[in-house]
Amino acid sequence: MMRRPLAPPPKSGPRYNEFINVPKVRVIDDEGENLGVMFTQEAIDQAYEIGLDLVEVSPNADPPVCKFLDIGKFKYEAQKKANIARKTQKTQELKEIKMRPNIDDHDYDTKMKKVHDFIGDGDKVKITLRFRGRELSHQQLGMNLLQRVAENVAEIAKVEAYPRMEGRQMLMVLAPK
């Protein structure tokens, strides 16, 4: 069996073959059998005999645990797992619901259904109350409305940013529990 040309040392991922810099390692063969503790060079030679590489799978153990694997296939499968994990992870978005301080009951219920949907999907919700004209002088109505919203979603969400005024708008942010 011909040896592979010496590649540069691995920047990331497990060490393998000549890059394993400990004198003795615990070796597991390609079928998962424990071959015991042996010298690193002896283990590398055995791996080459069966056409595989000696890959360090547990570097922090004493002695480090190495396995007979094909390093190219091992790296490819690890990259595939990382891509699948990245694809399936859910990013949390910030959804916005806009209201007015004198909102009607039916409109309020419709907006609250959307808030429940967004929080159920794992997203944060920003509630924006817009004040126009003379409504600005009755900010306590807006505060009461936002407290009512917080009470309605108390069992599924927590208030992340309490109500505050920014210009003509009052803002509050809810996050799933």
Side-chain angles (χ1 to χ4, degrees):
M1 168 125 316
M2 218 171 98
R3 288 192 169 211
R4 290 192 185 141
L6 188 61
K11 293 182 179 87
S12 65
R15 293 182 295 197
Y16 59 94
N17 296 340
E18 290 82 22
F19 306 116
I20 300 172
N21 52 12
V22 290
K24 287 188 174 183
V25 292
R26 182 173 306 279
V27 180
I28 298 170
D29 70 357
D30 54 329
E31 285 136 23
E33 256 183 68
N34 188 351
L35 300 180
V37 178
M38 58 177 71
F39 288 106
T40 305
Q41 192 55 49
E42 182 184 338
I44 291 171
D45 292 339
Q46 283 188 12
Y48 275 136
E49 284 175 17
I50 58 174
L52 296 173
D53 301 298
L54 184 69
V55 180
E56 197 173 46
V57 290
S58 181
N60 298 330
D62 188 33
V65 178
C66 294
K67 207 170 189 180
F68 293 163
L69 298 169
D70 181 4
I71 189 67
K73 187 176 181 182
F74 182 74
K75 284 182 175 179
Y76 173 73
E77 287 173 357
Q79 186 181 18
K80 240 171 115 173
K81 280 182 192 173
N83 286 344
I84 290 170
R86 196 174 318 119
K87 221 180 268 185
T88 57
Q89 81 181 19
K90 171 85 170 99
T91 56
Q92 198 174 49
E93 293 181 34
L94 182 66
K95 303 287 188 170
E96 185 175 18
I97 299 287
K98 294 182 180 180
M99 297 185 188
R100 296 281 307 280
N102 55 353
I103 190 170
D104 194 43
D105 287 337
H106 180 265
D107 296 334
Y108 175 81
D109 294 338
T110 305
K111 300 276 187 183
M112 288 311 295
K113 279 183 191 170
K114 288 308 286 180
V115 169
H116 281 273
D117 289 346
F118 291 150
I119 290 174
D121 290 341
D123 296 324
K124 291 182 182 182
V125 179
K126 176 175 154 185
I127 310 284
T128 305
L129 269 181
R130 286 211 172 144
F131 293 95
R132 288 170 59 186
R134 292 183 186 159
E135 291 174 348
L136 204 54
S137 60
H138 299 287
Q139 292 180 8
Q140 73 278 4
L141 294 176
M143 189 62 80
N144 292 344
L145 180 64
L146 290 180
Q147 286 173 350
R148 183 174 153 202
V149 168
E151 289 168 9
N152 285 357
V153 297
E155 63 275 353
I156 61 167
K158 63 180 186 282
V159 178
E160 191 173 84
Y162 288 93
R164 68 180 189 281
M165 283 298 291
E166 282 187 10
R168 293 183 161 272
Q169 298 180 346
M170 190 176 282
L171 307 171
M172 178 173 77
V173 179
L174 303 171
K177 276 190 176 176

